[in-house]
């Protein structure tokens, strides 16, 4: 199973211009190199200067990192993720969420959740997603990584903050495609 590190801006005000600026910044910092497909890039030579790898680092072949980056842009707030290596639990009752992707498929800003075991209910932002879910219009996906073994360093998060004017968060989930 392939996993990715996803980064996303915490602001809902991302635009197509935000995505263009992100593309340029990734190339400028040499985090991304050649384009493989639309919004899909080979990892650049300096990716490992911006991502701290714990445990297993990405494979290196002929001096190139065997990772890739994808930029995902949506016209409205979108939830990505849900596949966690840890059990996600409802707040309060602590019952496990049996099918996180199914729960997220019903996501909207106004909707909430209800525990099927006890009836406890609340809003999506109350759930501790354990770094397995993000909600944004723009996502940067770095694959393939082992969950929780690739962490963006402060310099990278600062660069993204300067670019967008807002903080960025990250999470781990299955890769959007098998590279």
């Amino acid at each position: 199973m392939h996993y990715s590190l996803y980064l996303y801006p915490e602001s809902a005000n991302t635009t197509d211009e935000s995505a263009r600026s992100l593309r340029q910044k990734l190339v400028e910092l040499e985090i991304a190199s050649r384009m493989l497909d639309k919004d899909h890039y080979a990892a650049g030579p300096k990716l490992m200067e911006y991502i701290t790898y714990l445990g297993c680092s990405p494979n290196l072949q002929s001096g190139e990192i065997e990772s890739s980056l994808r930029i995902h842009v949506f016209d409205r707030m979108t939830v990505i993720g849900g596949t966690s290596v840890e059990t996600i639990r409802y707040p309060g009752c602590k019952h496990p969420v049996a099918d996180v992707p199914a729960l997220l498929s019903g996501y909207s800003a106004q909707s909430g959740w209800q525990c099927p075991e006890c009836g406890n209910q609340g809003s999506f932002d109350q759930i501790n997603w354990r770094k397995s879910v993000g909600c944004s219009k723009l996502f940067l996906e770095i694959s393939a990584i082992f969950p929780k073994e690739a962490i963006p360093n402060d310099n990278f998060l600062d660069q993204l903050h300067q670019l967008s004017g807002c903080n960025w968060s990250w999470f781990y989930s299955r890769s959007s495609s098998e590279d």
Side-chain angles (χ1 to χ4, degrees), residues 1 5 12 42 44-45 50-52 58 62 71 74-75 89 107 117 146 157:
M1 187 179 311
L5 166 66
Y50 294 93
I51 303 293
T52 302
S62 306
I71 298 172
F74 301 95
D75 57 359
R89 299 185 180 278
Y107 172 83
E117 292 187 48
F146 292 103
L157 294 172

Side-chain angles (χ1 to χ4, degrees), residues 78-95:
T78 302
V79 174
I80 289 183
T83 304
S84 177
V85 294
E86 299 179 53
T87 302
I88 306 299
R89 299 185 180 278
Y90 291 106
C93 66
K94 303 297 182 201
H95 289 119

Side-chain angles (χ1 to χ4, degrees), residues 83-146:
T83 304
S84 177
V85 294
E86 299 179 53
T87 302
I88 306 299
R89 299 185 180 278
Y90 291 106
C93 66
K94 303 297 182 201
H95 289 119
V97 177
D99 188 353
V100 175
L103 177 66
L104 291 173
S105 69
Y107 172 83
S108 75
Q110 296 78 29
S111 67
W113 52 266
Q114 182 172 0
C115 175
E117 292 187 48
C118 68
N120 187 25
Q121 37 187 338
S123 62
F124 282 96
D125 63 345
Q126 294 172 313
I127 295 176
N128 179 356
W129 295 107
R130 304 183 79 131
K131 294 274 187 212
S132 67
V133 170
C135 182
S136 185
K137 293 180 181 178
L138 175 68
F139 295 89
L140 170 61
E141 176 185 3
I142 302 173
S143 60
I145 58 96
F146 292 103

Side-chain angles (χ1 to χ4, degrees), residues 46-92:
K46 295 191 177 178
L47 174 67
M48 292 180 74
E49 292 180 23
Y50 294 93
I51 303 293
T52 302
Y53 288 92
L54 311 168
C56 298
S57 59
N59 291 330
L60 298 174
Q61 284 195 342
S62 306
E64 287 190 18
I65 301 170
E66 238 185 51
S67 290
S68 67
L69 296 88
R70 289 183 192 274
I71 298 172
H72 302 278
V73 182
F74 301 95
D75 57 359
R76 60 180 168 72
M77 294 298 280
T78 302
V79 174
I80 289 183
T83 304
S84 177
V85 294
E86 299 179 53
T87 302
I88 306 299
R89 299 185 180 278
Y90 291 106

